[in-house]
Amino acid sequence: MNRTIRCTVNGKKKELSVDIRQSLLEVLREELGLISVKQGCAAGECGACTVLIDNVPIDACLYLAVWADGRSIRTVEGESKNDKLSRVQQAFVDEGAVQCGICTPGFVMAATAFVEKHQGQKVTRNEIRRGLAGNLCRCTGYDTIITAVKKSLDEDFFCYDENSGGRRFRPA
Amino acid sequence: MAIGKSVKRIDAVAKVTGRARYTDDFFMPGILLAKYLRSTIAHGRVTKIDTRRAQRLPGVERVFTYKDIPQNKFATAGHPYSLEPEHKDVEDRLLLTRHVRYWGDEIAVVVAENNIVLQEALQLIDVSYEEYEPLVTPEASLTEGAREIHAGSNNIIGESQYAVGENIEKALASADVVLEGRYRTQMCQHCHIENHIAYAYMDDLEHIVVVSSTQIPHIARRIIGEALGLPWGRIRVIKPYIGGGFGAKQDVILEPMVAFLTLKLGGRPVKMDLSREECMIGTRVRHPFDVKMRTGVNKDGTLVALDIDALSNTGAYASHGHSVAGAAGAKSRALYPRAAIKYHARTVYTNIPAAGAMRAYGAPQIMYAVDCIIEEAAQRIGMDPVEFRLKNVARLGDFDPLTGKRFESCGLIECLQRGKALIGWDEKRAARPKKQTGPVRRGLGVACFSYASGTYPVCMEISGARIILNQDGSIHVQVGATEIGQGLDTIVAQMAAETLGVPFDRVHVVSTQDTDVAPFDTGAYASRQAYVASNAVFRAARELKAKILEHAGRVTGILGGELDISNGNIVHGNNPANNVVSLREVALDAYYDKDRGGQLTAEISYKTRTNAPTFGCTFVDLEVDVPLCKVNIKEIFNIHDSGVILHPVMAKGQVHGGVAMGIAAGLYEEMLIDTQTGYIYNNNFLDYKIPTTVDVPDIGCEFVETFEPTSGYGNKALGEPPIVSPPPAIRNAIWDATGVQINELPMTPHTLYKHFKKAGLL
């Protein structure tokens, strides 16, 4: 059975006829060609399909497409404007936070939500770790990803490393 | 100059913008989906299979069973074809099987229009089995009279040994102290975030196109041909971006099946996309090892002898089989080259998921055992463990005791010294009390390793590069070496830019592998690519540069070898600041002049006949919460000698990822198996815990740069090595903190509880 939904995807209004059994992941990929939304587990374990729904990071594999009716969805395709990378995207490139890249779009979206929420606040590396614990990466050991997120936050605020007794963290 | 600089990774922007296309991102109208029917027992034989109800379901295209497939047994391991019979991989697979060898074995395959129909159809297939006792452990499968998992094998797939130096028994007898130990490692899975996926179609009556997430496109082409009994030239394998492999994709898993299905279905596109649960049990895992060790040491700190006896469990099918245990022994030989070493290994079949290549290919298993007993030896003679290693490890000027090849570069001593200073080894040991008694105790640990830069001389090492001067003076490079996330394309662009004398951003590397057009190379494994590809890229770039300069001589009239290329311009060799003519003008002339020139290209296929040993170590400072049986890493450093570091940021990325995987292998990860049934309990990310952001500490990483003369740019292997030494370093630190030796992996709270209780700590 199909149902029509109206939502905003990366700033553009969309009217979509979706199978009520379809996940948002399937609709974004197959109907709209938003291939950044990756499937890694289809069970909400890995976060590779993270998109922002009304600015909250959500696993699109667990979210039925019909639930998106009336909501605003952001994927990584919408984050760079006029070929200019977003602050978070640029930090991922600059800090070497990209390896195989399959987790990258989901991580960039989760990081974007985190950075928007904590802009201007003093945030520790461990707080960044807790904020991104829903996304798995098997290549990087997360080190450069944490550094990229830190860099995306307001540079005027220090980032403290709790592990080494509150010393100011110095990126490698 | 591009080598040694952290230039912008060439695929980073494609990946952060979501534009990089992986196998699942190419949509074909009408593509069919296929899924295996997997066995629900671990050992037995299908007595009856009825697919009629599934076949009748609307939306089902076809159902194939073990009765419908070609009877060509084939080997799946991603090794080069071997001309030597003793190095041939074991051919023990068919596309589908009637004889069930592990829980989840592939007995039928359904092709349907969509996933919903596919799932329903799988449930409509009726299967009856004759069940055999699952042989889950090596002990069970080696029991006298145990049923053979593969006929004629005796459940042993391979056995090998080597000995170097003095006779091992004589050496042990001559040593002041002899120690024995037994060390066990667990079954792990790679957990690349992109599951195995492949699709195939035909665009004529002859040729099959397979698009796959593979580390080994050229090898996959051959194995598909072998499995289907088709000439290899009729197969074309395309590899787009790939979402991690770590060795699980150095094996041919789905490719022959999708090729078979499209062939049977009139060339229509067919895709197989494994679920996470299937990927965890139905692809490859790491071989569990059971290693018995003996070592002899003298009281002055000389390591006299190492006797290593490894039992490796390859599971249901050979895959890489005994090669893993064989290579593990070979790669660890370089670490203590002055000791007498005997290495014996045996690999057995059991009814567990098939083990194959996984990052560092057996070295983590063997090095864990070696580093454990080395630590015990140092403690026994009362010597500082770092000092003991410094006295015995490989030095520049040492030889591989088996091959007689001299180590051309070796910075392990410096690695150990650097690590010792970074962690504050002496200061911390001096500062703390002799005996710790509280609930939370602090420990320091060290471990070191050797590894290799390829597979030579067991396998041949071939790499191809084609470099083209485009019409506008830019450069295109094609290599057969395969980008799988490690950054190979960027490294290749750096190499070409360096030797040609052009800016890095003028070089484009074709990332997609296509066996119809790419130069031949066997792919991403053995940490070989930067090493062996360097030799091809360097020579191709040198040849192209000579051709460009020759043509520039004709264009400018300046002959006699006075010209050079600098920063993308043709310059006078003795005055690089003086641009004579641009590369663009030379290229336009070469392409479009009516009388002279042509397309300027160079293509090299090069066989590397060396294999540089690579070295490194881990230092860790950790806390053990004894009542909670929990380990908290405070500081960890990996220090590597990988020759010249081509790209510092990407090199650190390899180390961070490898150390994280190593910490996880040491403390968290294990595939848990029901020994009665062979069922895997944790075939998903909820139950099989790979580290999240909060589980990995900040990782310190340093390089001791040496120059390796056998590679194009002084570089050696780095991809796999970082995973090797963290688990034994952590084990040694736990011992240091608590006085308890943990001789099995992983060292989870569950394992620690068992050992702490036995030791009277709890």
Side-chain angles (χ1 to χ4, degrees), chain B residues 336-367:
Chain B
Y336 298 110
R338 300 181 300 280
I341 303 176
K342 181 176 165 227
Y343 180 79
H344 170 262
R346 175 187 262 197
T347 304
V348 301
Y349 282 121
T350 59
N351 296 119
I352 68 170
M358 184 170 168
R359 196 175 196 163
Y361 211 77
Q365 293 96 311
I366 291 301
M367 283 298 171

Side-chain angles (χ1 to χ4, degrees), chain B residues 159-416:
Chain B
E159 190 156 8
S160 61
Q161 70 172 52
Y162 70 78
V164 294
E166 201 185 350
N167 171 281
I168 195 74
E169 297 304 335
K170 276 191 186 159
L172 285 167
S174 75
D176 294 341
V177 178
V178 175
L179 296 95
E180 288 184 24
R182 186 173 178 182
Y183 311 91
R184 290 192 183 88
T185 66
Q186 79 278 40
M187 173 166 48
C188 294
Q189 219 268 334
H190 313 65
C191 298
H192 36 76
I193 304 295
E194 181 199 31
N195 288 308
H196 284 67
I197 177 169
Y199 67 93
Y201 59 93
M202 297 177 75
D203 46 16
D204 61 18
L205 293 178
E206 301 286 311
H207 297 90
I208 301 173
V209 185
V210 177
V211 181
S212 175
S213 176
T214 176
Q215 298 174 221
I216 45 162
H218 288 271
I219 292 176
R221 176 195 215 191
R222 165 179 59 83
I223 296 177
I224 295 165
E226 289 173 339
L228 270 50
L230 292 176
W232 307 347
R234 282 178 57 185
I235 314 294
R236 175 182 174 195
V237 176
I238 297 172
K239 180 231 62 123
Y241 283 112
I242 138 169
F246 310 109
K249 296 174 184 169
Q250 191 208 340
D251 222 305
V252 171
I253 311 240
L254 301 175
E255 295 90 343
M257 179 52 89
V258 290
F260 168 74
L261 293 174
T262 191
L263 191 65
K264 287 287 174 189
L265 295 168
R268 294 171 66 187
V270 184
K271 178 163 80 176
M272 293 194 86
D273 178 7
L274 294 190
S275 67
R276 176 59 57 190
E277 291 74 10
E278 288 181 286
C279 196
M280 298 236 6
I281 61 161
T283 62
R284 300 292 177 265
V285 297
R286 188 188 285 286
H287 290 78
F289 272 38
D290 180 350
V291 188
K292 291 178 184 150
M293 300 272 315
R294 287 190 298 166
T295 188
V297 288
N298 286 343
K299 285 182 179 145
D300 69 353
T302 307
L303 176 67
V304 178
L306 275 173
D307 181 17
I308 309 168
D309 187 12
L311 181 62
S312 163
N313 183 351
T314 206
Y317 292 94
S319 173
H320 288 251
H322 187 63
S323 305
V324 170
K331 289 173 178 179
S332 49
R333 193 166 60 229
L335 186 57
Y336 298 110
R338 300 181 300 280
I341 303 176
K342 181 176 165 227
Y343 180 79
H344 170 262
R346 175 187 262 197
T347 304
V348 301
Y349 282 121
T350 59
N351 296 119
I352 68 170
M358 184 170 168
R359 196 175 196 163
Y361 211 77
Q365 293 96 311
I366 291 301
M367 283 298 171
Y368 171 70
V370 168
D371 264 311
C372 285
I373 203 156
I374 287 289
E375 189 75 10
E376 289 159 31
Q379 300 284 352
R380 179 72 72 84
I381 59 169
M383 196 166 176
D384 178 284
V386 181
E387 289 309 313
F388 183 65
R389 286 174 172 84
L390 282 168
K391 190 172 164 68
N392 291 292
V393 294
R395 299 189 285 243
L396 195 61
D398 278 333
F399 295 79
D400 180 314
L402 194 65
T403 63
K405 294 257 193 245
R406 204 178 86 93
F407 302 158
E408 302 285 348
S409 61
C410 179
L412 181 52
I413 299 267
E414 294 81 353
C415 288
L416 283 163

Side-chain angles (χ1 to χ4, degrees), chain A residues 21 29 35 38 40 45 76 85 89 98-102 125 129 132-133 136 138-143 161, chain B residues 9 15-16 22 24-25 189-191 193 195 243 276 485 653-654 656-657 669 685 691-693 696 698-699:
Chain A
R21 297 170 298 184
R29 286 181 59 83
I35 58 167
K38 305 297 186 195
E45 295 157 0
V76 93
L85 300 182
Q89 287 174 314
V98 178
Q99 288 193 31
C100 86
I102 200 88
R125 271 176 82 81
R129 288 179 187 283
L132 297 181
L136 296 177
R138 195 60 155 169
C139 294
T140 62
Y142 304 109
D143 209 284
D161 183 8
Chain B
R9 185 185 167 111
K15 288 172 176 175
V16 296
Y22 299 73
D24 203 24
D25 300 331
Q189 219 268 334
H190 313 65
C191 298
I193 304 295
N195 288 308
R276 176 59 57 190
Q654 288 302 301
H656 290 153
E669 290 180 25
F685 285 161
T692 70
T693 45
V696 184
D698 288 338
I699 295 162

Side-chain angles (χ1 to χ4, degrees), chain A residues 19 21 26 29-30 33 35-41 43-46 48 76-77 80 83 85 88-90 92-96 98-105 107-108 125-126 128-146 161 163-164 167 169 172, chain B residues 8-9 11-13 15-22 24-25 27 115-116 189-195 241-244 246 273 276-277 358-359 483-486 632-635 649-650 652-654 656-658 660-661 664 669 684-686 688 690-694 696-699:
Chain A
D19 186 320
R21 297 170 298 184
E26 289 170 311
R29 286 181 59 83
E30 291 163 21
I35 58 167
S36 76
V37 187
K38 305 297 186 195
Q39 178 167 300
C41 67
E45 295 157 0
C46 75
V76 93
E77 280 91 345
S80 50
D83 286 342
L85 300 182
V88 173
Q89 287 174 314
Q90 189 63 50
F92 269 62
V93 172
D94 294 344
E95 295 304 319
V98 178
Q99 288 193 31
C100 86
I102 200 88
C103 75
T104 304
F107 248 116
V108 167
R125 271 176 82 81
N126 278 354
I128 296 171
R129 288 179 187 283
R130 283 195 288 276
L132 297 181
N135 291 67
L136 296 177
C137 169
R138 195 60 155 169
C139 294
T140 62
Y142 304 109
D143 209 284
T144 48
I145 293 175
I146 310 296
D161 183 8
N163 286 334
S164 51
R167 280 203 309 251
F169 173 72
Chain B
K8 186 163 92 181
R9 185 185 167 111
D11 53 8
V13 170
K15 288 172 176 175
V16 296
T17 54
R19 295 183 190 182
R21 283 185 187 265
Y22 299 73
D24 203 24
D25 300 331
F27 299 96
N115 259 320
I116 293 169
Q189 219 268 334
H190 313 65
C191 298
H192 36 76
I193 304 295
E194 181 199 31
N195 288 308
Y241 283 112
I242 138 169
F246 310 109
D273 178 7
R276 176 59 57 190
E277 291 74 10
M358 184 170 168
R359 196 175 196 163
E483 169 70 60
I484 67 161
Q486 77 285 58
N632 178 18
I633 295 174
K634 308 300 283 183
E635 281 187 289
V649 165
M650 292 202 309
K652 282 192 176 177
Q654 288 302 301
H656 290 153
M661 238 185 203
E669 290 180 25
N684 59 72
F685 285 161
L686 280 183
Y688 183 94
I690 73 169
T692 70
T693 45
V694 295
V696 184
D698 288 338
I699 295 162

